[in-house]
Amino acid sequence: MCKMLSQRLSNRRLLVDLLALMFGLGAWIGVNGIYVQLPLIVHTAPEGWSLPAHMVMLVQFANLGPILYTLYIKYTAWAYDKFIIYALLAAGACACVALSFLYDYTSFVFGKEHSTALLSLMFVTALVGCTSSVLFMPYMRNYREIYLVSYLVGEGLSGFVPSAVALIQGVGGNPKCENVTKPGSTQLEFEPAKSDPRFSSEIFFVFIGSLLCLSFLSFLGLNNLPVARGERVKLPSSMEMLPTDTTAPPSYKTNSGWKMPKFIYYYLLVMMAIVCFLGNGTLPSIQSYSCLPYGNLAYHLTVTLASIAGPLAMSLGFFVNTPQVKLLNVLTMIILVLSGFVLYLAAKSPHPPLQHSWVGELMVVLVWITLCGLIGFVKMGITTLYRPDPGRGLYYTGVATQIGSLIGAITTFGLVNYAKVFQSYSPCTYLTEN
């Protein structure tokens, strides 16, 4: 194992790995950073607990970014993707730093008070994330295949880092229930008590903005440092416009030996869309419903360990060869089964099976860790299969990612907010009932 690792590391530049990882970190860290601050922000936001619903819709509107980029590469010959990436990363960094000063600024829109600054800056960060799927990842085709894994690990860490910092901050800590029974009333009433974080949201957003600045500088290094430029691949003369070649067919057999049947080509794109439907759209929306009934400890362990599982599974690309389609089929079936089980637990909230027992807590944590790890590995496997594509395979995987995530988010939004399939859990309800 150590010999194999040494061989793989000897054929790469660790500085370029770090630059690619930090570049990937900037993809979704802005959006994820805002989401993990919700437990603090909703108490003062005029929208209250409807604020997440507004944010979900804004993320979907941010899919305007990939649409505009697609039109751009179709109707213009000036295809310098790196300048668009510079602009997006700079805008994301500025938005996060501005959030530290303006996140609680409100104004009246159509006669109602709204968190206009928070929602507007949230849209900017979401624009970066949504466009990254069809721009950032395909751009990594300009570098040797081994660095694509580093980018994917960084993209996975864009969810873990904000969650870990938020847990240190104290967001979502174990609440204590206060007796708020009115004088003269015989009905006991309890409410969760608010706890002050270890540091404020202002400091948190400055930290996230600083990481986005580092992501910008890392991308600058990828394009300009001699050690990084030396790791770029030499594209064939007929492919100078990659990754924005709009004339490439969906099936190839090239002099370099890369080939993929058309059926497998489309099949893997559908698989990517299904995995992202679950991993990016559906499962994050129902995580609290499936975990919180088992207690705050189970929920916190799920958030942190499951966030680690995805990047850790992607990092297996450093040690294993490109996975076969048959293996991805088996793993996708396991993902579907585990996702169905998680949806069942969420639908049973606030009283799922094995509640108030250590067996239930252990079960839900292990299921989530396994599920997130498998999703990360399958996404990495599909992406690396398309990496040698001399056409636009990585671009299409990004499109499949966004389509699957969009459909998953809209579907779950309807189930949560309109169909009322999932019921929220309050730690104080158990006290009232007993």
Side-chain angles (χ1 to χ4, degrees):
M1 183 70 177
C2 294
K3 184 178 180 181
M4 181 177 63
L5 177 60
S6 177
Q7 289 175 345
R8 286 185 176 266
L9 292 179
S10 64
N11 194 32
R12 64 198 308 142
R13 302 288 186 179
L14 294 181
L15 176 60
V16 182
D17 277 311
L18 178 62
L19 293 175
L21 186 146
M22 289 302 301
F23 174 41
L25 184 70
W28 285 99
I29 194 169
V31 173
N32 294 327
I34 296 173
Y35 268 113
V36 298
Q37 287 296 289
L38 278 176
L40 292 179
I41 296 175
V42 292
H43 296 301
T44 56
E47 295 87 355
W49 281 105
S50 68
L51 180 62
H54 291 75
M55 294 170 62
V56 167
M57 296 310 299
L58 273 179
V59 172
Q60 304 317 314
F61 287 141
N63 281 290
L64 179 65
I67 295 173
L68 291 176
Y69 175 71
T70 302
L71 294 175
Y72 164 78
I73 62 175
K74 184 176 182 180
Y75 293 109
T76 183
W78 194 77
Y80 288 99
D81 293 344
K82 65 180 181 181
F83 295 114
I84 303 176
I85 297 176
Y86 282 136
L88 286 172
L89 289 175
C94 292
C96 284
V97 173
L99 271 172
S100 64
F101 304 101
L102 302 174
Y103 76 93
D104 56 351
Y105 176 81
T106 63
S107 60
F108 286 87
V109 179
F110 301 116
K112 291 185 178 181
E113 190 178 11
H114 289 285
S115 305
T116 47
L118 174 66
L119 294 174
S120 299
L121 295 171
M122 165 81 176
F123 177 78
V124 176
T125 61
L127 201 63
V128 178
C130 291
T131 311
S132 70
S133 297
V134 297
L135 181 57
F136 290 19
M137 187 170 63
Y139 191 85
M140 291 304 297
R141 270 208 70 247
N142 293 294
Y143 298 87
R144 294 170 56 207
E145 181 178 352
I146 54 178
Y147 298 113
L148 180 61
V149 176
S150 302
Y151 170 86
L152 292 173
V153 172
E155 189 175 280
L157 288 174
S158 68
F160 166 71
V161 172
S163 298
V165 175
L167 287 175
I168 296 172
Q169 180 190 21
V171 174
N174 294 326
K176 297 181 179 179
C177 296
E178 291 183 342
N179 190 336
V180 294
T181 305
K182 296 180 180 179
S185 175
T186 58
Q187 181 68 35
L188 285 175
E189 296 182 25
F190 295 90
E191 289 183 357
K194 299 177 183 178
S195 57
D196 294 329
R198 293 183 177 89
F199 53 88
S200 66
S201 294
E202 289 89 342
I203 296 176
F204 180 87
F205 286 130
V206 168
F207 172 75
I208 298 298
S210 300
L211 290 181
L212 271 164
C213 289
L214 288 177
S215 181
F216 176 90
L217 294 175
S218 297
F219 184 67
L220 189 68
L222 279 175
N223 285 284
N224 296 283
L225 290 178
V227 64
R229 294 181 65 87
E231 297 299 296
R232 293 172 68 93
V233 296
K234 178 64 177 177
L235 299 173
S237 59
S238 60
M239 294 292 177
E240 289 299 326
M241 299 301 290
L242 280 176
T244 56
D245 176 19
T246 59
T247 62
S251 182
Y252 306 91
K253 185 176 182 180
T254 67
N255 294 332
S256 62
W258 190 88
K259 61 181 180 179
M260 181 181 289
K262 182 180 288 189
F263 171 76
I264 298 298
Y265 192 97
Y266 288 120
Y267 174 73
L268 289 175
L269 291 178
V270 173
M271 183 186 293
M272 177 66 92
I274 292 174
V275 169
C276 292
F277 173 93
L278 295 169
N280 297 345
T282 300
L283 296 177
S285 302
I286 57 108
Q287 188 175 48
S288 59
Y289 294 100
S290 65
C291 298
L292 268 178
Y294 292 97
N296 289 307
L297 177 61
Y299 179 59
H300 294 324
L301 288 176
T302 298
V303 170
T304 52
L305 298 181
S307 297
I308 296 173
L312 187 63
M314 289 181 178
S315 67
L316 291 177
F318 288 115
F319 312 105
V320 300
N321 295 323
T322 303
Q324 300 296 315
V325 177
K326 290 183 179 179
L327 175 61
L328 296 179
N329 286 336
V330 174
L331 296 181
T332 302
M333 290 302 300
I334 298 175
I335 289 172
L336 292 174
V337 172
L338 292 179
S339 298
F341 181 68
V342 168
L343 286 167
Y344 167 77
L345 294 180
K348 287 293 184 179
S349 176
H351 302 295
L354 300 177
Q355 190 179 22
H356 307 304
S357 71
W358 69 267
V359 177
E361 295 179 20
L362 180 63
M363 173 192 68
V364 72
V365 172
L366 291 180
V367 167
W368 268 99
I369 293 174
T370 304
L371 185 54
C372 291
L374 290 177
I375 288 174
F377 185 83
V378 169
K379 289 169 65 177
M380 181 274 297
I382 295 174
T383 303
T384 52
L385 283 173
Y386 282 99
R387 167 59 184 78
D389 180 2
R392 305 184 66 224
L394 286 179
Y395 170 79
Y396 289 128
T397 59
V399 172
T401 296
Q402 288 307 113
I403 291 176
S405 303
L406 174 63
I407 296 174
I410 292 176
T411 302
T412 312
F413 179 79
L415 292 175
V416 171
N417 293 280
Y418 297 105
K420 303 297 182 182
V421 174
F422 308 105
Q423 303 298 320
S424 60
Y425 171 81
S426 172
C428 301
T429 303
Y430 183 71
L431 292 176
T432 305
E433 292 174 350
N434 292 274

